Amino acid sequence: MTFDIDRVRAAYPALSDGYAYLDGAAGTQVPAAVIEAIAAAYRSGIGNVGGTFPASARSGVIVAECRQALADLTGAHPDGVILGPNMTTLTYRLADTLSRGWGPGDEVVVSRLDHDANIRPWVQAAGRRGATVRWAEADLATTELPAAQYGELLSGRTRLVAVTAASNVVGTRPDVAAIAAAAHAVGALVYVDGVHATPHVPVDVGALGADFYATSAYKWSGPHIGTVVAEPALLETLRPDKLAPAPEGVPGRFERGTAAFADLAGVAAAVEHLASLAPPASETADAGATAGRRRQRVLASMAAVEEYETRLFAGLLDGLAAMKHVTLYGKAARRAPTAFFTVAGRSPRQVAEHLAARQVNVWHGDNYAWELAGALGLRESGGAVRAGLVHYNHQADVDRLLAAVAELA
Ligand SMILES: Cc1ncc(COP(=O)(O)O)c(C=O)c1O
């Protein structure tokens, strides 16, 4: 397995502008192959689905290929791939649908570690149904989300557990499989936010125990499209609000209005991009022969991405930890390559401005990890600075960040 960072970076036209793109956690750049796939869809002539003419059929093929690509990325069944504009919209839709059967006495468990998109839709749905919300707490010293606490939080009344596969600020990757096993033991469903995890690690929804797994393609080199995957048989049991003439079947009845067909072509191209990031040496020469084994290729490729990012991130963390004027948040044993830090005497916004002036893109604020930022005491002081790595970052990006932060001593 090879990870050729120069080859990877050359795939991204935007990276030639000279900036260090450490803002990938808020959305990645897009490789030429994805841009081309979107343009090619429009160029070929596409129509709405279900018509009698070739342009309509082309859109039908794009939708089917997109579902298959997302199934290959996550280990789901293509008939269980729900497509939509983004994770937040889909999660609100699922929360509305799943909460139909909840009532007083029922319970949902959310976590303080999560992005608000995997908290508020459940809290608000529970509120409408008179159900009780229980909170899993992050250990603030380590930012771990201890799985053991779920023993206390779960009961025969728990209907749903919502938990993240990775924190979008401190990077913590909780033991989702253990949490899901405990939830399933009491008959609860498990809704996993995979938005931050998916760009960094191989994903297997079966191994995670996720009844629902959400991810957004714009976090892993694709266009602004979200998906939630689930077992088709589970989706068959649910009745979302839908228009009368809209599809009755699964997953179509969870999808609202006309899809962004050209973007869906870009999603499939982005999965193919991920699958080809780290080709085994023997396969680079014969891409055609590997096309049918995309699930295996994406798993192997993402394992190489995880290894590459982990190594690069260790240097970034060591560099920041060595600076006395920097306070780092996040110490989880298993984590995505995302650093969250403050700088003495400067607001997070001032730090981000200083970095932007040196061509380093980072985010500042609570980054919608609103509960965690509050628990860490950072919400009122403007949050913290977030610098995140993705597979196209290289050592020069890390070096530039560290040099620019060092200037603030
Ligand atoms: C961990 C996590 N969950 C959910 C979301 C929301 O995703 P979307 O923008 O697709 O609604 C984000 C976006 O930043 C995120 O990082």
Side-chain angles (χ1 to χ4, degrees), residues 40 44 54 80 95 114 140 148 155 199 240 243 247 302:
S44 72
D114 274 69
L140 297 181
S155 77
L243 303 183
M302 292 310 294

Side-chain angles (χ1 to χ4, degrees), residues 25-26 85-89 115 117-118 164 166-168 193 195-196 216 218-219 226 367 386:
N86 52 54
M87 178 274 187
T88 305
T89 302
H115 186 287
N118 202 31
T164 192
S167 158
N168 67 313
D193 177 355
V195 173
H196 194 69
S216 287
Y218 76 94
K219 307 286 193 179
N367 297 289
R386 178 178 68 181

